[in-house]
Amino acid sequence: MSIRNSAKAIIIEDSKVMLTKNIDEEGYFYLFPGGGQDHGEALSDTVRRECIEEVGKEVEVKDLLHIREYIGKNHEYAYFDSHVHQIEYYFVCHVSKEQTISSVPSNPDSHQVGIEWVPVKDLMDYRIYPKGIRKYIQEYENNKRNIVYLGDIN
C-alpha cells in the first residue's frame, strides 16, 4: 500500500469557513475542499485544481497551516478504509478576486451535494472531518498560534 498526499483549502471569510456539504447513510457531513495530489503536481497546484473541481472557485494559496496524518485502521471507519494512509496538507486560501471560471463545481466528489459557509464559532456543532481540526480552526480565527503537525487524528 502506498501513502497518498492530499492538499486541502481553509477558506475563511467574514468569520465563516467554506466547506463541501456531503451526505451518507448517517446524514450530512462536511469536508474541507481538496483532494489527492497528482504525480508531478505541486501541492499548491493541487489545492487550486481541487477548489475549482469541488467548489467552483479559483483560490490564492497562502501559508501551510496544518499537516494531518490519517491512518484509516486507527479510526471509526476502519471497516471501510483500513487500507488508507494519507498525509493531508491544509493551506490558508482566499477566493481570487479575479475569478475567471464559472462558479459551478466542475467535478464534485461522489457524496457532495453542495457547499456551505459555516460560522467558525459553530464548527463543533457540525459533523466535519477531520473532527480534531475544528478547534484549531477556531484558534486560528481567534489569532492564537497553534501546532502545525496534528498527527493521526480524525
Side-chain angles (χ1 to χ4, degrees), residues 15-24 26-32 76-77 113-135 137-138 154:
S15 296
K16 295 179 181 176
V17 63
M18 180 191 289
L19 301 169
T20 65
K21 185 175 185 177
N22 304 271
I23 194 165
D24 64 11
E26 296 176 40
Y28 292 115
F29 66 98
Y30 299 83
L31 301 170
F32 291 86
E76 65 188 289
Y77 295 107
V113 295
I115 61 170
E116 192 166 321
W117 287 94
V118 175
V120 173
K121 66 179 180 56
D122 297 336
L123 290 179
M124 296 305 207
D125 298 333
Y126 287 78
R127 186 173 153 223
I128 297 172
Y129 294 104
K131 294 174 185 176
I133 202 170
R134 297 174 297 178
K135 69 178 181 176
I137 301 302
Q138 289 175 327
N154 193 28

Side-chain angles (χ1 to χ4, degrees), residues 64-68 88 136 145-151:
L64 175 66
L65 188 61
H66 294 296
I67 300 170
R68 175 235 190 174
E88 297 176 345
Y136 295 113
R145 178 138 173 89
N146 52 42
I147 61 174
V148 174
Y149 178 67
L150 303 179

Side-chain angles (χ1 to χ4, degrees), residues 3 32 38 65 71 92 110-111 119 133-134 149:
I3 298 173
F32 291 86
D38 292 335
L65 188 61
I71 302 171
V92 173
S110 61
H111 293 286
I133 202 170
R134 297 174 297 178
Y149 178 67

Side-chain angles (χ1 to χ4, degrees), residues 2-7 35-43 45-46 49-50:
S2 61
I3 298 173
R4 177 125 196 222
N5 287 334
S6 178
Q37 180 182 29
D38 292 335
H39 181 76
E41 182 179 49
L43 285 169
D45 292 334
T46 302
R49 174 179 53 78
E50 289 285 342

Side-chain angles (χ1 to χ4, degrees), residues 48-102:
R48 284 186 200 93
R49 174 179 53 78
E50 289 285 342
C51 283
I52 291 169
E53 291 178 3
E54 294 182 0
V55 297
K57 303 288 184 195
E58 292 179 14
V59 297
E60 298 171 13
V61 181
K62 302 297 182 182
D63 293 334
L64 175 66
L65 188 61
H66 294 296
I67 300 170
R68 175 235 190 174
E69 194 159 5
Y70 179 76
I71 302 171
K73 68 179 182 177
N74 298 335
H75 298 289
E76 65 188 289
Y77 295 107
Y79 69 91
F80 176 76
D81 61 3
S82 63
H83 64 287
V84 174
H85 188 169
Q86 185 163 285
I87 309 296
E88 297 176 345
Y89 300 86
Y90 288 82
F91 291 89
V92 173
C93 295
H94 301 291
V95 175
S96 176
K97 291 179 179 22
E98 300 175 10
Q99 185 87 1
T100 61
I101 61 161
S102 165

